[in-house]
Amino acid sequence: MTDATRPIAQETRLARLTGKSAVSDFRLIALLVLGTVAANLALAETGFWRSLSFIAIPAGFVVLVVICERIGRHVRPARRAAYEKALAFGFPAAVLALWQIAGDTGMINTTWFPQPSRIAAGLWDMTIRYDKFSQTSLLGRPWLIPQAFSEGGFAGVWTLLSESHVLATVARVFIGFVLGAIPGILLGVVMGVNQTVRLMLDTTLSAIYVLPKIAIFPIVMLIFADPFGEGPKILVVALAVFILMTINTMAGVRGIDNVYLMAGRNYGAHGWQLMRHVILPGAMPVIFAGLRIALGTAMIVIISVEFLRAKQGVGFITFYYWEVLNPEKMYAGLVVVMLLGVLLTYLLQWLQRRLMPWQR
Amino acid sequence: MDAQVSAGQVPKIAARNVSRIYQTVDGDMVAVDDFSLDVTDGEFVCVVGPSGCGKSTFLRMIAGLDTISAGSIQIAPGGVPGKPLNSVVFQEYAIFPWKTVIDNVAFGLEMRGIARKERLETARYWLDRVGLGKFAGYYPHQISGGMKQRVSIVRALANDPEVLLMDEPLGALDAQTRVVLQEELLRIWEETRKTVVYITHSLDEAVLLGDRVILMTAQPGRHLATFDIDLPRPRSIETANTPRFVEHRALIWEKLSQEVKRAMEQNQ
Amino acid sequence: MIRRMSLSRRALMLAVGVGIALSSGPGRAAEVAALNPPARVKVAYVPIMKFATLYVAEGRGIFAKYGLDVTLERVKSGTEAIAFLDQGSVDVGGIAIVASLWSAWDRGLNVRIIAPGALDPMENGPTKLIIRKDLSDAGAIKTIADLKGKKIGVAGGPGSGGEYFVAKALERAKLTIRDVQLVNIGNADMPPALEAKSLDAVLTSSPFSDQILGGGTGILLAQDFTPGLMTVAFVASGKFIKERPEVAERFALALAEAARMMQGNDYLSPENIAAYIKYTASTEEALRKGAPVIYDPNIEIPVDGLADVERVHRENGRTEYDKPLDLSKAVDTTFVKKAIDALGKQ
């Protein structure tokens, strides 16, 4: 075998193995990587990078997609899952890494766009710090629970946890969510089943639905004896959830195939039995889709209310750190909001799997 | 009238001069017009007609799922109190996706307040009879169309109604599955001898299964003709190869084909 | 003339200053040449009367006289303006003295105070601490010390100017803001909140204080916590100061000239009123009824008061640091000095 023939032999072997020409793909990838780096460096050297970044960044993204797809062609089926995970988590990680590097090298103004490492440090500082002025902490210092319990029993633990911003927000969302979702689902079922009620309320609900809940908050405050307490905050969350759940449940009930209702009646289900065995489970997929949206809305509403109208809560702490000009902690607050969103969504998915075992 | 049995016998189902008129913005639409039918106890009656002739509407009126505009329908109650008058097998299966196979079969019993243990025993018995015993815990999305329709049929049988109303139950199945289920239906019916009203658009199916075949006209649905099928029982899929079967089918087809053509012209 | 005489030395000095201003009149500023071509200056401001010198300087063409092409952009809060100033996308900001400024200087952000906004009057100032009438009638609150544990409404959240005022009021009875419950509430929401008895006291100013006192739901408990305090200031971007000092110089000069056109009865001259109304949400009636504040004709920057605000915010835990901040980096008096050199001290 001569030197000249070896690469060709190798290429055909690989091609047979993968069904595609691996060498040409890898050649293309190398070319793209080198080309992109060279193009960006050239732009940076000539000082045009910043003004052309609106093209350079999307173009870089497209090149990255092409490279990943080429690599994807050569991933064995057994490794497929790992490859997909790598894409799903690798991309955000790469974005964070780029952000970090851009900050460290001074390409972006880190006063207003602090690097992920500083945001993480801010988050850590927020987590361990107890603010003796406002008597609050981010989580309520759970590591002190054993000590608080031995000193003050459950009341001591409660005092400790009631200083938590996260718990304050979660409690408002949770209570407001339950208080809004249950009557919302009930009214939605009634509106789905009864045409008269539906015609009477549908327009009104659609009108209230689009109202920004933060805009009606001052009015909600007037209803309560203690306008600055938890009542208005919970009610405004409940209201947002209620409207969404009514509209979604109604759609879910109306979407139930008539043949199921006929079957239910024909086999002797009436009234509550029909509700429990046919209407509620039949509308359940749409109800859960509604709950997902309602959860997101509840988070948005409570965070925006806390921005201006609370002394505790993740929204409050986020806005507070902006007001006193501590951007990395403001970002950390936003990270907590996102984590809460992800966590609560997972919780809802778990509930969905429990309540709807018939869905894959 | 042809469709009525001789006097002196009390029919299981007595439908007298039944009409169904829908009020629409374009005026009244007559779906079923002055239709009468008596079915004796233990009789298997097939109703055949062109698409949209109102045969499904008629079945739903018997089941009490649609209102009767004029006339009357009566199902004679049996001796056992609490036994349901009718159970429907729907073309679209209509088994609940949110219930397991066995809970679907036991549904009618559950609604009648029968204890859990007893109703599950009954449901299991019927599932075993159609070979679905090991699918009891499955959800409908996990089983095939043919299996779903078996579940739908045994849901009706487990409910033990006075009459069984079947609305094109095999209409949505492929040809092979259909043949298998026809045989299964024959076998089960010959063992139980339920009173059945069976709606179908397939002439072969009607002749193979029925004691009587009723033809309906195209819209509005009126009575066109009645044919007694004197093929010996027990029947099987082989019955379709006998000369008697072919004779019956040819005779009915002659009458039906005229009606189908008329219906097609009407629609043009 | 200043409407009410005071025993305070400062007020006397101001009164004398006004007298001279009236007798000599404007016009000595011609020594500073107009810039040609005109220099663009972008100013972000919160539309309140405390920046009135800015409105007069723009509305009556003083900026134009010195070759300044000034654009006024409204912003919602001072923190927002600080971000723009640090980025250099805005040249000057009209900013309330709030905790974010201390944090900005502590972090080395490149912004400087170049001129003062309005100063609080020496007496009968607009900011009032008002208690609920029924609590006063019942004798539950007679002095500031009685406010301990009570709910006090104040506009502006943690580290705001409002919080500083409450802290200064409480200081008289050796209380701190942690001895009371502070409730962040908009000024307009205060009258109904007092009526609904959901607050025990509020800190507010005209016209809301007049509305409460006139409506009989509240009683004045205390005022004038901070006579002569600079609550707002003109803060310039470091980039602006460094790259275009001649523009900054003329900007301060125009503000000083505007302040001299607003003394005594001139404050409500038709030209001035037109300028106020153009750049704020105020009405002529409100302007005539409003309590006067001081627009110092010498536009001196009162650094001592600034240090006191910083101390109170720091002691209330509104800053990340706990040692007094070196305010020499925060203030740049060059431009004020040059302006007064050109105009002559009054």
Side-chain angles (χ1 to χ4, degrees), chain B residues 129-149:
Chain B
R129 272 188 81 165
V130 292
L132 286 178
K134 64 176 179 183
F135 295 100
Y138 282 48
Y139 282 102
H141 76 80
Q142 297 168 303
I143 59 176
S144 69
M147 288 156 99
K148 279 183 205 162
Q149 194 54 293

Side-chain angles (χ1 to χ4, degrees), chain A residues 109 111-113 118 129 133 225-228 308-309 311 316 320-329, chain C residues 77 79 83 86-87 100 103-104 107 109 151 158 178 182-185 189 198-199 315-318 320:
Chain A
N109 183 339
T111 302
W112 310 108
F113 307 100
R118 280 177 56 211
R129 174 185 291 212
F133 296 106
D226 179 10
F228 310 106
L308 298 175
R309 307 277 187 169
K311 294 166 77 178
F316 162 78
Y320 170 78
Y321 279 121
W322 170 242
E323 278 293 279
V324 300
L325 215 85
N326 192 336
E328 55 269 21
K329 285 194 179 168
Chain C
S77 81
T79 310
D86 179 58
Q87 295 259 20
S100 52
S103 180
R107 285 159 175 262
L109 259 59
K151 256 186 203 167
R178 282 179 304 287
L182 281 192
V183 175
N184 182 5
I185 172 175
D189 295 333
S198 47
L199 288 175
E315 288 178 354
N316 283 324
R318 300 310 184 199
E320 296 272 294

Side-chain angles (χ1 to χ4, degrees), chain A residues 1 23 30 66 103 123 154 156 158 161 222 243 245 358:
Chain A
M1 199 191 278
V23 166
V66 171
L123 186 58
F154 285 112
W158 174 247
L161 290 182
L222 288 176
I243 302 279
M245 286 322 296
W358 66 87

Side-chain angles (χ1 to χ4, degrees), chain B residues 3-29:
Chain B
Q4 274 167 272
V5 288
S6 53
Q9 232 177 318
V10 178
K12 194 74 199 166
I13 302 172
R16 298 288 151 80
N17 310 97
V18 175
S19 294
R20 178 72 177 102
I21 299 160
Y22 291 102
Q23 278 155 351
T24 69
V25 276
D26 299 328
D28 289 353
M29 200 277 282

Side-chain angles (χ1 to χ4, degrees), chain A residues 256-270 273-274 276-279 281-283 357-360, chain B residues 60 63 65 86-90 92 94-99 107-113 139 141 152 155-156 159:
Chain A
I256 298 172
D257 196 335
N258 191 36
V259 81
Y260 293 128
L261 296 173
M262 286 202 294
R265 271 192 222 111
N266 185 246
Y267 285 86
H270 295 283
Q273 277 187 324
L274 194 68
R276 195 183 96 103
H277 290 281
V278 182
I279 294 175
W358 66 87
Q359 288 215 327
R360 255 175 281 225
Chain B
R60 281 172 195 186
L65 293 172
N86 73 82
S87 291
V88 181
V89 178
F90 295 88
E92 312 90 327
I95 57 171
F96 304 120
W98 48 86
K99 285 183 181 289
F107 180 66
L109 303 172
E110 188 181 357
M111 291 306 104
R112 272 154 57 196
Y139 282 102
H141 76 80
S152 176
R155 173 173 69 178
N159 205 24

Side-chain angles (χ1 to χ4, degrees), chain A residues 157-207:
Chain A
V157 175
W158 174 247
T159 313
L160 186 67
L161 290 182
S162 61
E163 73 184 35
S164 162
H165 290 294
V166 168
L167 273 185
T169 301
V170 168
R172 286 169 191 148
V173 166
F174 183 78
I175 298 171
F177 197 72
V178 171
L179 287 184
I182 291 172
I185 290 171
L186 289 180
L187 181 63
V189 167
V190 172
M191 285 175 69
V193 173
N194 185 302
Q195 198 203 12
T196 310
V197 179
R198 179 165 69 243
L199 289 175
M200 282 164 69
L201 295 183
D202 202 6
T203 320
T204 315
L205 283 176
S206 308

